[in-house]
Amino acid sequence: MRYLSTRNGPEISLEDAIMSGTAPDGGLYVPANLPTFAPADFDGIDAIDHLAAKMLQPFFAGSVLENQLAEICTEAFSFEAPSRVLEEGGSSLSVLELFHGPTAAFKDFGARFLAACMVRIAASRKLNTPLTILVATSGDTGGAVAAAFHGKPGVRVLVLFPDGRVSSRQQHQLTCWDDNVTSLSVKGEFDDCQSIVKELFADRALSAEHNLCSANSINVGRLLPQSVYYALSSLQHFRKTGEQSSYVIPTGNLGNGFACVWAKSMGFPIDRIVLATNANRTIPDFLDRGEWQPRASIATLASAMDVGNPSNMERLRSLWGEADSLNSRLSTYSVSDAQIREQIVAEHEHTGVAWCPHTATAFYVYRHHLTDTDRAGHWKLVATAHAAKFEAIVEPLVHETLELPEELARILKLPSAFDTVQPTAAAVAQFL
Ligand SMILES: *Cc1c(COP(=O)(O)O)cnc(C)c1O
């Protein structure tokens, strides 16, 4: 399989697409074509890593990683993506829980798969200096990337986070790794962290000297594994009932939602795709008005979705076209902070389960925007993080102390260490 930029340009290999992140023309890498499957192609395959190896094989054909794909999948997919059935008279509803990985958010899938690929690509290139993964984070991405690359040979990680702007549990997940992971608290905003990363990458000499690599969410190596849990969950339901599944997906940069679009396009039994955004309305406004108007992000309770210029829209438009065409294929709704709070309380009263603020957007959309007719088939609401990661928001609403997932509890007990730096590229470069 060859990969090309959404803005065209030459076709390159999978390993080059993974190592370069974005294309030189500013576009995003996509596969030259999508393979298609029938459900029967996966008969007898139940485990997520085996399913991943089979469905991702065409994407790895001809790559230096082709023969290592099975082992990459086993290493990356070391935890499950279960569907929890919600019993509700008449409706057929479940929650696709994507928070059973080490840092309790769906980003573990992409980060672990990317790490497994990058380490092997680096080994095949016999580099003299280790790879340096440089990542700016507003919270969840940095933790997942640090956890995924921690202890891996031939690679180190430098994480930049905005001083005092991440939750205390998130900060702990960014700063507890030691060894090959260095965390820097940058005296500025997330945007400062991102500009510093861009500036360091733009310095070609520095970038070559340290083998700088990006692990951001538009890397094709993070998207591919995300399509696997849509494939698996839709197949599981199809095998039981012969029915397709529809999804409501909490959306920020559209990586998770777009992975579902890929799974549907590959022929998995997926019916409707509904995107739930927070008060950052760039995507719903585009579908309503037909004009793409990226803007500055606004801070909300579902902070991992605070994106004003969702990058993966470029991939979606290149696959499914402009607003008219998109409107016939998916729907999208925006959810306010007040509605997020209301829904966390309502679900907890209704079923006793506390959901995270991101997941609550999907519940709100399902309960308040879909009609009875819409809700006729089987729906899966996507749970993107464990509520205990956002305990400062959720616990006061549900009046209950949330139990920590085991792995998160383990991480939170590790000692934490980080340096604080001024928001300049020069200050950060000292740590390279
Ligand atoms: C990153 C994130 C999202 C948004 O996912 P996108 O791929 O950016 O749309 C939603 N929820 C949580 C918990 C996240 O960490």
Side-chain angles (χ1 to χ4, degrees), residues 91-239:
S91 60
S92 171
L93 179 65
S94 60
V95 180
L96 175 60
E97 295 187 348
L98 301 182
F99 51 70
H100 295 282
T103 69
F106 83 88
K107 293 197 173 69
D108 284 323
F109 285 101
R112 289 177 64 81
F113 192 85
L114 183 69
C117 291
M118 277 187 168
V119 166
R120 287 170 175 81
I121 297 168
S124 78
R125 293 185 175 178
K126 304 195 174 39
L127 304 172
N128 294 322
T129 17
L131 288 183
T132 300
I133 312 295
L134 191 56
V135 56
T137 186
S138 58
D140 279 344
T141 293
V145 168
F149 283 92
H150 177 242
K152 299 263 191 228
V155 42
R156 53 191 193 133
V157 180
L158 192 57
V159 182
L160 311 186
F161 64 93
D163 193 56
R165 304 283 166 134
V166 299
S167 83
S168 68
R169 283 184 181 168
Q170 282 176 327
Q171 176 158 325
H172 204 98
Q173 288 182 314
L174 296 169
T175 56
C176 68
W177 301 103
D178 211 7
D179 299 336
N180 61 337
V181 179
T182 305
S183 308
L184 298 178
S185 180
V186 175
K187 288 210 151 301
E189 310 280 335
F190 171 62
D191 290 337
D192 297 311
C193 299
Q194 259 193 322
S195 336
I196 293 171
V197 166
K198 279 199 189 129
E199 206 176 319
L200 293 173
F201 274 114
D203 183 336
R204 301 220 165 231
L206 189 85
S207 180
E209 183 188 342
H210 297 288
N211 284 323
L212 290 189
C213 260
S214 139
N216 64 19
S217 69
I218 50 183
N219 195 303
V220 71
R222 282 179 57 172
L223 272 182
L224 288 171
Q226 289 174 183
S227 60
V228 171
Y229 42 75
Y230 293 107
L232 178 67
S233 57
S234 67
L235 276 176
Q236 285 168 334
H237 185 73
F238 184 80
R239 285 170 181 168

Side-chain angles (χ1 to χ4, degrees), residues 20-71:
S20 46
T22 39
D25 61 9
L28 308 184
Y29 286 115
V30 289
N33 55 344
L34 282 175
T36 51
F37 297 103
D41 295 341
F42 298 90
D43 281 354
I45 301 179
D46 299 312
I48 189 164
D49 55 337
H50 295 163
L51 181 109
K54 170 137 180 122
M55 79 178 271
L56 298 180
Q57 196 283 327
F59 295 96
F60 279 66
S63 138
V64 297
L65 297 174
E66 183 169 14
N67 295 327
Q68 293 165 288
L69 177 60
E71 139 195 340

Side-chain angles (χ1 to χ4, degrees), residues 105-107 140 250-257 304-305 356 358 384-385 390:
F106 83 88
K107 293 197 173 69
D140 279 344
T251 296
N253 209 28
L254 194 57
N256 200 9
M305 291 156 50
C356 91
H358 312 84
T384 49
F390 301 93

